[in-house]
Amino acid sequence: MAMTAMILLLLRGVAAILAIIVVRFLYHGYAHRRAVRSLKAQGLPILPHSILFGHLPIFAKFKKAHPPDINVYVFHTWLAENCKTYFPDHDYLPSVVYLDIWPLTGSLAMVTDPVAVSQFTIAKNEPKVDVVAKFFHPMTLGLDTLTTEGQIWKTWRPRFNPGFSQRNLTALMPEIIEEVSIFADRLKQVAGKGDESGPVFPLMDMTTDLTFDVIGRATLDIRLHSQTDQSDSDSLKKTFFDQIRLMEIFENIAQGVIIGRWPWQQAAVARNNRTMHNFLLPQIQKRLHSDSWIGQKATVLDLAIKHVDTDAPDGSQKEPTLEFVDRLIANLKTSLFAGHDTTAATICFMMKLLQDYPECLEKIRAEHDAVLGINPDPAHAAQVLTTSPHLLHSLPYSLGVIKETLRLYPLAATVRQPPPGYYLTGADSVKYPMDRFGLWASAPAIQRHPRYWPRPNEFLPERWMVSEGDPLYPATPNSWIPFSLGPRNCIGMELAHMELKLVLVLTARTLEIQEAWSEWDVLKGAKSTPSHTVDGQRLYQIGTGLVHPKDGMPVHVRLRK
Ligand code: HEM
Ligand SMILES: *[C@@H]1O[C@H](CO)[C@@H](O)[C@H](O)[C@H]1NC(C)=O
Ligand SMILES: *[C@@H]1O[C@H](CO)[C@@H](O)[C@H](O)[C@H]1NC(C)=O
């Protein structure tokens, strides 16, 4: 009897808790839907909105028209292309497009014009939305520049800026060339004999190894050997990727994921942290005592370490505090995180565009012949640049190729949190209330916007070389935003540009890199997905966060005669 009563009581308790969860869920949903309704009542442009489902039906339509692994950034371009369907009175998307796709995400607004984007990145530097910091917490406990805000960010960001400047990175050019030469050599080794193409492989694997090694050189001047050591050892790279995998499992009530990491996964997070810590700490200690690296070059880390004096409690002491060292380590991991797949994916999309626009590839080759000498051997170009590093900054066409790649394939964009009562005023002169809407700079929409970019969907490196007054001249400030804008922009832009240029210089004249989907399908067998295409292309943008190329971009390589 007592037993039954207890079970009943327990069941009632569980039912009550479930009811509370459901009611809270419904209440949140109602609040989201109501907020958008009230904006509509104020006469603001709103996508067709269902009181039950918000904008989910539009998002569902986008998903249905695309392969299941499509990246959400393609939604921005898709919406811009279908503007007339959803905003019949508009020629272009409104400056702010409110999105109500709760419970997939909280409230977000796509900001699609450069005037409005500059208001929260340049004029005011608003904080990032807190999901970014929550996601990144296991990696650095919030000790890094990517996710901290306020005074800590203001103190630490300038400490890293000098090391990432073009001038100071140029001093490290020989070291970086060494890593990119290995990349060029690996590509050559997988090329076919004579006229033949070699076997198919995902280019992204090789570019990721490269970017890892380059960051090791630029930040610490150490060799991480990601490119050369393919064994399954407990390398920094392997530990790092395992950590990212574990970070991706996280509590997210908006998405209905409540459990988060299991205890054994938490233990793995701690173990990975220890492994990375034990690897990076001695590297820092070695360079803390400046006499031990005399004669070597100043890296990003060395230039940041100088501030140990200003941070020391009595001003004279050279021993850093634990916190100082922890922040250095956190920022090294952050460089690896923010710099590896961004640059690696950009190399892939750049190769894709050069394949599709062979006349541009010819122009690049001509530029390299003219500036670096007609000997196309990568070893020769490497030698010329090692003695005259500044020549890398005299390749305007190559830089145009890079900027145009990042215009057509932006990989990420900043999302900022507005303070209460915040407004944006668009180029359309409409005043948009932004309370509680994440401010999502829409790089994909802005960078293909027909008002700012003539022939917006064409790959035209020339537009970066013409002078003011030419119809192709990119005349609108802040309409190119792949590295975000303002003081909180990407610290690694110069490093990325340098690495991308070196990749072009050391591969364009000797290799032909081509997508190889039929070989890939044979290799993948039943696991291949030939029906997945976007605009007729097998290579499309995938990933749940940063944009990655589909299947890592399967290619094969041929030697150029
Ligand atoms: C093509 C390559 C790259 C692209 C497209 C890119 C893009 C971006 C973007 C859009 C942001 C702003 C993120 C936000 O506001 O949430 C950012 C920030 C950042 N990036 Fe990059 N990035 C690239 C390469 C690199 C490299 C090579 C490094 C370092 C080695 C790096 C380090 C950082 C850091 C530390 C931040 C945070 C800066 C701060 O908050 O103060 N990035 N990047
Ligand atoms: C990683 O481990 C070190 C040493 O045990 C510790 O000082 C640090 O706070 C840990 N960091 C993270 C992100 O857990
Ligand atoms: C390069 O580093 C030095 C410190 O060694 C610094 O004084 C200088 O400002 C840096 N250069 C740039 C362009 O940031």
Side-chain angles (χ1 to χ4, degrees):
M1 247 347 243
M3 192 67 174
T4 333
M6 257 180 51
I7 290 173
L8 266 176
L9 202 65
L10 202 70
L11 281 179
R12 248 194 247 156
V14 170
I17 290 168
L18 281 179
I20 291 171
I21 291 175
V22 169
V23 168
R24 278 190 52 177
F25 184 81
L26 292 177
Y27 176 75
H28 276 290
Y30 171 71
H32 279 91
R33 304 289 182 261
R34 199 190 44 187
V36 170
R37 281 290 150 132
S38 109
L39 292 167
K40 192 175 174 187
Q42 294 169 47
L44 290 153
I46 301 287
L47 287 165
H49 187 254
S50 142
I51 192 70
L52 261 188
F53 300 112
H55 293 138
L56 287 169
I58 297 174
F59 196 67
K61 197 164 170 201
F62 159 76
K63 289 290 276 183
K64 199 160 166 246
H66 290 88
D69 51 359
I70 194 79
N71 190 287
V72 68
Y73 279 102
V74 181
F75 177 70
H76 294 228
T77 359
W78 177 83
L79 200 62
E81 280 163 9
N82 292 285
C83 173
K84 278 274 170 217
T85 313
Y86 297 111
F87 297 103
D89 322 333
H90 285 66
D91 288 331
Y92 307 122
L93 290 179
S95 295
V96 170
V97 180
Y98 298 101
L99 289 181
D100 174 13
I101 51 171
W102 188 87
L104 294 181
T105 67
S107 298
L108 278 175
M110 286 166 50
V111 185
T112 70
D113 98 54
V115 173
V117 168
S118 67
Q119 286 160 29
F120 59 86
T121 52
I122 301 176
K124 280 267 185 80
N125 181 14
E126 300 300 347
K128 296 180 184 177
V129 285
D130 64 357
V131 283
V132 183
K134 275 191 198 145
F135 167 78
F136 209 56
H137 195 260
M139 186 66 99
T140 62
L141 304 180
L143 296 171
D144 62 279
T145 13
L146 182 76
T147 65
T148 41
E149 302 292 340
Q151 197 49 50
I152 297 284
W153 178 83
K154 280 206 185 103
T155 307
W156 277 84
R157 167 82 193 225
R159 293 178 173 181
F160 288 100
N161 283 337
F164 281 108
S165 69
Q166 190 187 77
R167 186 143 55 90
N168 284 330
L169 282 172
T170 301
L172 286 165
M173 183 106 63
E175 285 71 16
I176 297 174
I177 288 176
E178 201 172 349
E179 302 297 341
V180 183
S181 296
I182 295 175
F183 172 72
D185 204 51
R186 285 181 85 193
L187 282 177
K188 194 174 151 199
Q189 305 212 343
V190 292
K193 298 259 174 302
D195 269 353
E196 309 268 294
S197 293
V200 64
F201 68 97
L203 182 61
M204 184 77 178
D205 289 355
M206 239 186 240
T207 58
T208 306
D209 287 343
L210 166 68
T211 54
F212 229 72
D213 285 353
V214 166
I215 296 167
R217 290 310 275 264
T219 55
L220 287 164
D221 196 9
I222 57 168
R223 307 204 65 174
L224 294 174
H225 299 294
S226 307
Q227 303 191 89
T228 42
D229 180 6
Q230 296 295 308
S231 70
D232 210 26
S233 63
D234 241 1
S235 62
L236 182 69
K237 185 181 109 185
K238 198 176 155 222
T239 315
F240 183 82
F241 281 124
D242 191 55
Q243 197 73 328
I244 293 178
R245 181 184 65 80
L246 291 162
M247 280 155 60
E248 281 165 357
I249 311 168
F250 88 130
E251 286 172 60
N252 186 344
I253 295 163
Q255 296 189 18
V257 185
I258 301 171
I259 296 167
R261 280 178 289 273
W262 296 101
W264 58 91
Q265 292 171 329
Q266 297 284 10
V269 166
R271 195 167 55 240
N272 286 338
N273 169 56
R274 259 191 321 275
T275 309
M276 288 189 270
H277 195 88
N278 292 344
F279 181 90
L280 293 171
L281 184 62
Q283 303 296 338
I284 291 178
Q285 278 164 342
K286 220 188 285 172
R287 299 188 89 98
L288 261 170
H289 303 285
S290 42
D291 32 330
S292 68
W293 58 271
I294 261 179
Q296 293 183 47
K297 293 176 189 178
T299 61
V300 168
L301 180 81
D302 300 322
L303 298 183
I305 277 180
K306 290 187 170 177
H307 298 275
V308 67
D309 296 343
T310 34
D311 262 14
D314 70 357
S316 64
Q317 213 180 330
K318 270 224 164 199
E319 277 316 304
T321 59
L322 266 180
E323 190 202 317
F324 185 89
V325 173
D326 268 353
R327 285 195 190 277
L328 289 177
I329 292 181
N331 281 301
L332 290 173
K333 290 192 278 192
T334 301
S335 286
L336 285 173
F337 178 80
H340 81 279
D341 55 347
T342 44
T343 318
T346 303
I347 297 173
C348 293
F349 291 122
M350 183 168 77
M351 295 303 184
K352 153 80 177 159
L353 286 164
L354 289 174
Q355 162 206 274
D356 290 353
Y357 292 81
E359 65 283 7
C360 297
L361 186 52
E362 282 314 318
K363 284 186 192 162
I364 277 221
R365 288 166 173 163
E367 177 174 85
H368 296 171
D369 279 349
V371 178
L372 304 167
I374 52 163
N375 182 350
D377 184 359
H380 176 75
Q383 194 208 335
V384 171
L385 282 170
T386 302
T387 38
S388 315
H390 62 275
L391 287 179
L392 195 73
H393 309 310
S394 325
L395 299 170
Y397 195 83
S398 304
L399 184 60
V401 164
I402 292 164
K403 292 187 120 180
E404 200 62 349
T405 301
L406 286 160
R407 183 180 70 82
L408 292 170
Y409 290 95
L411 307 170
T414 197
V415 191
R416 305 293 180 90
Q417 192 63 48
Y422 190 83
Y423 287 87
L424 284 178
T425 309
D428 55 7
S429 305
V430 176
K431 209 171 155 194
Y432 294 91
M434 301 307 306
D435 255 347
R436 284 191 289 275
F437 277 90
L439 310 167
W440 193 1
S442 181
I446 292 174
Q447 297 188 155
R448 289 179 185 239
H449 201 304
R451 197 192 288 140
Y452 314 123
W453 301 96
R455 300 160 69 186
N457 294 320
E458 284 173 61
F459 178 68
L460 288 171
E462 286 77 9
R463 73 170 92 234
W464 298 99
M465 301 171 72
V466 298
S467 37
E468 220 170 327
D470 189 291
L472 272 182
Y473 183 76
T476 313
N478 308 323
S479 53
W480 188 76
I481 56 168
F483 295 101
S484 188
L485 291 171
R488 194 118 211 207
N489 67 353
C490 175
I491 203 172
M493 182 177 86
E494 289 300 340
L495 179 60
H497 278 173
M498 232 169 98
E499 183 173 350
L500 288 159
K501 270 192 249 175
L502 285 171
V503 164
L504 288 174
V505 162
L506 300 183
T507 62
R509 287 185 290 170
T510 44
L511 303 170
E512 305 277 1
I513 302 170
Q514 299 276 331
E515 287 170 79
W517 291 98
S518 35
E519 289 91 325
W520 185 245
D521 289 337
V522 171
L523 193 74
K524 294 279 275 187
K527 278 200 250 150
S528 78
T529 50
S531 64
H532 291 180
T533 58
V534 174
D535 297 334
Q537 295 277 339
R538 290 291 301 274
L539 189 78
Y540 56 88
Q541 296 153 275
I542 65 160
T544 49
L546 195 95
V547 170
H548 281 205
K550 169 70 174 173
D551 287 355
M553 187 170 171
V555 296
H556 55 200
V557 180
R558 194 155 43 88
L559 296 176
R560 183 166 169 258
K561 276 189 289 202

